[in-house]
């Protein structure tokens, strides 16, 4: 319940405070006085759309603040708790709208965003205006209205259906993507297989390219290597003992001479030992060179093989990587991708199996949801027809048509393919007949403005029985009514006010007379500036306002009529 509303520099309001109470709160005043600005302010605090144009001319920002008693609003308390806000009995919402720059929202003095404000506001306040007539005229809105009238069970099942429809759509899209990608996938598989086979056929070994480079170097210069090795061997060991003495011969002669000298002087023993080591080393090197020479082959055929192998490796490097490790990594990645592509048929089968399961579950739920909607439609049609009779439409009939549309690509329901959308298979339309003998026809085609006001009020009255929202706001929903119809609408609003806080902007004295709290909104121009104010009316001030609403001016007859209306309203409250 809204306890207090404060408005500063919003539209043409400079500063305004109004304390609302439980029951029926009524705003009256001359046409154009600014009554609807208060409703716009509540819409802003409820998270509605605002703009810098809502800031009063010359002001830096507009501020709307509202305090709520949420002791009997479990939905709002739950929403606040989920958001991490305090759920004390008093809730304060603030919205600042900047003329320039960013606007701000606060929940109990903590910063919040507009989305959070809207979620909290939805649980607190429901606003209905003349634009709601348009939603009743639009069949696209009828299904959501019917589901709301069906209550939590219908809404929960509708959410399940929406989730299954979304999953089915995703699965159908995945199947379609597989179908569309079959040709490209086949081409990709062929390419990957060729690449894998080419790399596997090469049978590359780790470090093979470096070994082959060394072997090619040796084979290409084998003759020069052999000649050099032979010369080296002869120099080390192959001398004939004549003028061409080898290193071995030379060192041997030196050793013999040092051995004789060392026999006379032990000081030469160290030099002799070193010389013996050198001689042994020269002999070892000579043997290594000889063995190398014996192994060395001059094989042009092998050189060709090595050249061809290196060319193969070079070709693979140009295509798949700069090193053998990169070629191996390419092969592994290609194998993984090919495996995934090969699994596409398995994925297709899994997707089809899941889609079939989802469609079975969806078919079961949409049939159940459709049955619940039909049952709700019959019950609500009867309830609204009864309410219309209390609104001075004794012969009016209201009916809810629930049907399906055929669709060859749709969902199979009892052997027939029907269209399925996010909200199920049902198409809902409200039908109406105002007079006896008239057949039921779409509401948009036959209801007048006054009839629409009463139809909407009847729907809201039925909805209010299950609606957890504590505050209902009606902005001139009684437009175009008069006489007994106006009185019946006043009675309906007063009835709603027994279980909800109701705020009504009205031009009907019959409605204003039922108010538990009556406010008049006034607009005046001072010093070329517009000011809007609101005043709570009591006693004779209220009589005077009702008289103005009845006759357009203050007359004795109007005063008497106003007092009579107030007396009847008081008796009605006492009786109830």
């Amino acid at each position: 319940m809204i306890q207090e509303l404060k408005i500063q520099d919003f539209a043409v309001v400079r500063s305004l405070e109004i304390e609302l109470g439980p029951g029926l709160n009524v705003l009256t005043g001359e046409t154009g006085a600014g009554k609807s600005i208060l409703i716009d302010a509540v819409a802003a605090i409820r998270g509605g759309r605002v703009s810098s144009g809502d800031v009063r001319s010359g002001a830096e920002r507009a501020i709307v603040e509202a305090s709520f008693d949420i002791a009997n609003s479990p939905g709002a308390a739950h929403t606040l708790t989920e958001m991490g806000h305090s759920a004390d009995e008093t809730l304060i919402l603030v919205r600042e709208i900047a003329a320039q720059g960013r606007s701000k929202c606060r929940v109990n003095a903590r910063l919040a965003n507009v989305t959070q404000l809207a979620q909290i506001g939805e649980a607190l306040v429901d606003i209905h205006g003349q634009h709601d007539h348009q939603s009743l005229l639009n069949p696209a809105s009828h299904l959501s209205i019917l589901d709301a009238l069906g209550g939590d069970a219908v809404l929960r099942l509708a959410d399940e259906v929406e989730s299954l429809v979304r999953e089915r759509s995703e699965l159908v899209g995945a199947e379609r993507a597989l179908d569309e990608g079959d040709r490209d996938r086949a081409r990709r598989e062929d390419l990957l297989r060729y690449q894998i086979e080419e790399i596997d056929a090469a049978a590359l070994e780790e470090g093979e390219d470096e070994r082959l480079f060394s072997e090619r170097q040796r084979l290409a210069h084998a003759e020069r290597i052999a000649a050099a090795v032979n010369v080296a061997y002869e120099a080390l060991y192959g001398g004939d003992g004549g003028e061409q003495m080898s290193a071995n011969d030379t060192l041997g002669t030196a050793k013999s001479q040092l051995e004789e000298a060392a026999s006379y002087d032990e000081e030469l023993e160290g030099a002799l030992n070193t010389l013996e080591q050198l001689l042994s080393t020269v002999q070892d090197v000579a043997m290594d060179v000889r063995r190398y020479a014996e192994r060395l082959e001059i094989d042009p055929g092998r050189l060709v093989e090595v050249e061809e192998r290196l060319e193969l490796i070079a070709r693979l490097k140009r295509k798949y990587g700069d090193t053998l490790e990169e070629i191996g990594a390419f092969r592994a990645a290609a194998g993984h991708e090919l495996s995934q592509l090969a699994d596409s048929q398995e994925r297709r089968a899994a997707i089809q199996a899941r889609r079939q399961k989802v469609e079975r579950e969806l078919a079961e739920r949409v049939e159940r949801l459709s049955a619940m909607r039909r049952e709700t439609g019959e019950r609500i049609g009867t309830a609204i027809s009864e309410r219309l009779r209390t609104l001075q439409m004794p012969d009016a009939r209201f009916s809810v048509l629930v049907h399906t549309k055929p669709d060859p690509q749709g969902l199979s329901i009892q052997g027939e393919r029907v269209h399925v959308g996010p909200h199920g298979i049902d198409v809902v339309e409200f039908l109406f007949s105002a007079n006896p003998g008239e057949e039921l026809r779409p509401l948009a085609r036959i209801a007048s403005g006054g009839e629409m006001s009463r139809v909407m009020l009847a729907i809201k009255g039925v909805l209010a029985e299950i609606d957890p929202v504590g505050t209902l706001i009606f902005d001139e929903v009684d437009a175009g009514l008069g006489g007994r119809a106006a009185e019946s609408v006043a009675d309906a609003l007063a009835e709603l006010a027994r279980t909800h806080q109701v705020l009504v902007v009205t031009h009907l004295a019959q409605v204003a007379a039922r108010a538990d709290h009556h406010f008049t909104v006034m607009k005046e121009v001072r010093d070329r500036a517009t000011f809007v104010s609101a005043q709570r009316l009591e006693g004779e001030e209220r009589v005077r306002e009702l008289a103005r609403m009845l006759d357009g001016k203050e007359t004795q007859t109007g005063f008497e009529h106003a007092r009579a209306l107030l007396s009847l309203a008081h008796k009605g409250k006492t009786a109830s």
Side-chain angles (χ1 to χ4, degrees), residues 204 209 213 307-322 324 327:
L204 300 173
D209 52 346
F213 281 128
E307 294 283 7
E308 290 177 348
R309 183 68 174 171
L310 286 171
E311 175 57 32
L312 171 62
I313 292 175
R315 185 167 64 252
L316 294 177
K317 285 183 176 181
R318 286 194 298 271
K319 296 169 69 173
Y320 305 121
D322 293 334
L324 297 187
I327 294 174

Side-chain angles (χ1 to χ4, degrees), residues 241-383:
E243 294 182 359
Q244 297 293 328
M245 293 182 66
S246 67
N248 182 67
D249 293 339
T250 302
L251 291 172
T253 300
K255 175 177 176 289
S256 298
Q257 295 299 318
L258 279 179
E259 285 177 338
E260 182 179 355
S263 66
Y264 302 109
D265 187 353
E266 293 181 354
E267 187 176 343
L268 293 172
E269 288 291 338
L272 178 62
N273 290 335
T274 300
L275 186 59
E276 288 176 344
Q277 292 175 2
L278 286 174
L279 182 59
S280 176
T281 300
V282 166
Q283 291 172 351
D284 289 343
V285 172
M287 290 303 101
D288 288 343
V289 170
R290 181 178 178 179
R291 284 192 292 269
Y292 178 86
E294 291 172 350
R295 293 196 313 271
L296 184 63
E297 296 182 8
I298 300 175
D299 187 352
R302 175 57 183 166
L303 179 59
V304 171
E305 291 177 2
V306 170
E307 294 283 7
E308 290 177 348
R309 183 68 174 171
L310 286 171
E311 175 57 32
L312 171 62
I313 292 175
R315 185 167 64 252
L316 294 177
K317 285 183 176 181
R318 286 194 298 271
K319 296 169 69 173
Y320 305 121
D322 293 334
T323 65
L324 297 187
E325 289 77 8
E326 291 182 8
I327 294 174
F330 183 94
R331 163 64 177 83
H336 178 69
E337 184 180 353
L338 182 61
S339 175
Q340 286 189 317
L341 291 174
D343 290 342
S344 64
Q345 295 304 319
E346 294 182 9
R347 292 204 307 275
R348 183 194 302 276
I351 290 172
Q352 289 176 341
R354 177 59 186 168
R355 177 175 58 80
Q356 291 168 1
K357 182 175 185 298
V358 167
E359 287 186 344
R360 287 194 298 271
E361 294 178 2
L362 179 59
E364 183 273 329
R365 282 170 174 76
V366 295
E367 286 191 86
R368 186 150 48 95
L369 179 59
S370 186
M372 293 175 71
R373 283 169 171 163
R374 286 185 168 87
E375 187 278 329
T376 300
E378 293 178 3
R379 175 169 51 82
I380 295 305
T382 299

Side-chain angles (χ1 to χ4, degrees), residues 387-394 450 454 457 478 480-493 508-511 514 550 561 565 568:
R387 282 185 174 270
L388 288 172
R389 282 192 279 276
T390 67
L391 294 171
Q392 298 303 311
M393 300 180 72
R454 283 177 281 179
L457 191 56
D478 49 16
L481 297 179
R484 296 185 62 187
E487 292 177 3
S488 62
V489 167
D491 290 338
L493 290 169
L508 291 178
Q510 294 92 327
V511 172
R514 303 296 202 285
L550 288 166
H561 192 180
L565 283 176
L568 288 173

Side-chain angles (χ1 to χ4, degrees), residues 2 8 53 69 107 133 138 252 255 316 337 374 380 414 473 504:
I2 301 175
Q8 178 179 331
D69 180 352
V107 177
H133 296 179
N138 181 10
K255 175 177 176 289
L316 294 177
E337 184 180 353
R374 286 185 168 87
I380 295 305
Q414 298 182 358
I473 296 179
V504 181

Side-chain angles (χ1 to χ4, degrees), residues 539-568:
E540 286 301 310
E541 291 178 339
R542 191 176 181 195
V543 172
R544 184 175 292 105
E545 173 66 6
L546 290 176
R548 181 198 64 76
M549 297 174 71
L550 288 166
D551 293 341
K553 55 184 178 179
E554 297 179 7
T555 65
Q556 187 61 35
T557 302
F559 287 145
E560 293 174 0
H561 192 180
R563 291 189 179 94
L565 283 176
L566 289 171
S567 177
L568 288 173

Side-chain angles (χ1 to χ4, degrees), residues 143 146-147 154 157-158 161 362-378 402-404 413 423-428:
L143 187 144
L146 178 64
D147 283 354
V154 171
L157 187 54
V161 165
L362 179 59
E364 183 273 329
R365 282 170 174 76
V366 295
E367 286 191 86
R368 186 150 48 95
L369 179 59
S370 186
M372 293 175 71
R373 283 169 171 163
R374 286 185 168 87
E375 187 278 329
T376 300
E378 293 178 3
V402 182
H403 63 97
T404 60
I413 302 294
H423 307 294
I425 59 173
D426 298 311
V427 178
V428 175

